[in-house]
Amino acid sequence: MAPKSTRAEATLDQDPSGVVVAQAQDRVSAVMGEIAEFWGFTRTMGRIFGLVYMSHEPLDQSTVRSRLSISAGSASTTMTALLEWGVLHREGRLYVAETNFFKLITAVLRQREAARVEQGIGAAREVIDTLRAADQDDARVRFALKRAEHMLGFFEMGRSFLEAFVERSPIRAILNGLARTASRLRPAPLPGRSTLELDDDHDTAEAAHDQDTHDQLDP
């Protein structure tokens, strides 16, 4: 049997372009695996997408298993999940990759990130309801209530941004919407400062911000 290095050299001589393409596929597959893991998905999901994305022809599950050295069970489970996310599309027994990256990102935002923001909004509202029912003469309660209201405002602004991004609203509409939301978001109270002082500071800053926003967005 010929040494491994000899076989590799023979392959390079016979199909140099194929070797270059395979190396590119491996590199993209590895990078996509790292990105997927960073986003909270499995590395295998990213690796499979990277390989299929870089393939000039649809791939079957057997080819994917062989190229990535993964088990049949892992390939089947992962590729099914990728189909559900819209990352892969199936053509009979073959798979092709979604190439619209904006569509991929918005799918994640719509199905996962938006749900987390809604969870945060729900939790903030529950905390606010509890604090509003407590003794408002207690400075600690008032402080905690202001902090919770500030957090709720931030979450709601985040939801507005996600909704605008997912729906691909015009940039001008996004900026106007965020500017209006941000102008209503009062600063979180600081220990040792009364809420009345913060309200006075915010009212002054809000008036200046409204004028700046009008000048920048409505020339």
Side-chain angles (χ1 to χ4, degrees):
M1 180 179 293
K4 183 176 181 180
S5 59
T6 302
R7 294 199 306 272
E9 291 171 359
T11 301
L12 181 59
D13 291 337
Q14 295 168 6
D15 186 13
S17 296
V19 172
V20 172
V21 170
Q23 291 174 341
Q25 290 173 338
D26 291 343
R27 179 57 177 158
V28 171
S29 177
V31 169
M32 287 297 180
E34 294 173 358
I35 293 175
E37 200 168 43
F38 176 79
W39 274 55
F41 296 97
T42 67
R43 182 179 291 266
T44 302
M45 293 177 79
R47 292 181 66 210
I48 290 177
F49 169 72
L51 175 63
V52 179
Y53 175 80
M54 290 295 290
S55 176
H56 72 287
E57 59 185 8
L59 299 180
D60 59 22
Q61 194 175 115
S62 177
T63 301
V64 172
R65 293 202 315 266
S66 176
R67 281 296 309 277
L68 300 180
S69 299
I70 58 178
S71 68
S74 176
S76 177
T77 301
T78 304
M79 295 178 81
T80 297
L82 291 174
L83 287 172
E84 293 174 351
W85 278 97
V87 176
L88 294 184
H89 303 290
R90 192 167 184 173
E91 299 177 352
R93 298 179 61 184
L94 302 176
Y95 296 82
V96 296
E98 173 61 58
T99 59
N100 186 330
F101 284 98
F102 187 90
K103 184 177 180 180
L104 294 177
I105 293 173
T106 54
V108 173
L109 293 177
R110 182 183 293 109
Q111 297 181 47
R112 192 179 67 176
E113 308 307 331
R116 291 180 178 177
V117 172
E118 289 297 335
Q119 183 179 19
I121 289 175
R125 286 175 174 168
E126 290 177 2
V127 170
I128 289 172
D129 289 342
T130 299
L131 290 169
R132 284 176 176 171
D135 182 7
Q136 296 300 306
D137 291 332
D138 191 316
R140 296 170 301 176
V141 173
R142 295 197 303 273
F143 178 87
L145 177 58
K146 285 292 183 181
R147 280 288 174 95
E149 290 173 339
H150 181 263
M151 180 175 65
L152 175 61
F154 175 77
F155 285 152
E156 289 178 335
M157 182 173 65
R159 179 175 61 184
S160 296
F161 177 78
L162 283 175
E163 289 174 347
F165 186 79
V166 168
E167 297 303 323
R168 305 183 73 169
S169 299
I171 295 298
R172 183 183 181 84
I174 295 176
L175 293 177
N176 274 301
L178 290 178
R180 287 194 298 270
T181 303
S183 69
R184 295 193 298 270
L185 185 59
R186 294 181 177 275
L190 300 175
R193 293 195 65 187
S194 70
T195 55
L196 289 178
E197 289 179 304
L198 288 171
D199 288 345
D200 290 341
D201 290 347
H202 178 77
D203 290 340
T204 300
E206 187 178 71
H209 174 79
D210 287 344
Q211 184 60 47
D212 290 342
T213 300
H214 180 273
D215 294 341
Q216 294 173 15
L217 300 181
D218 296 301

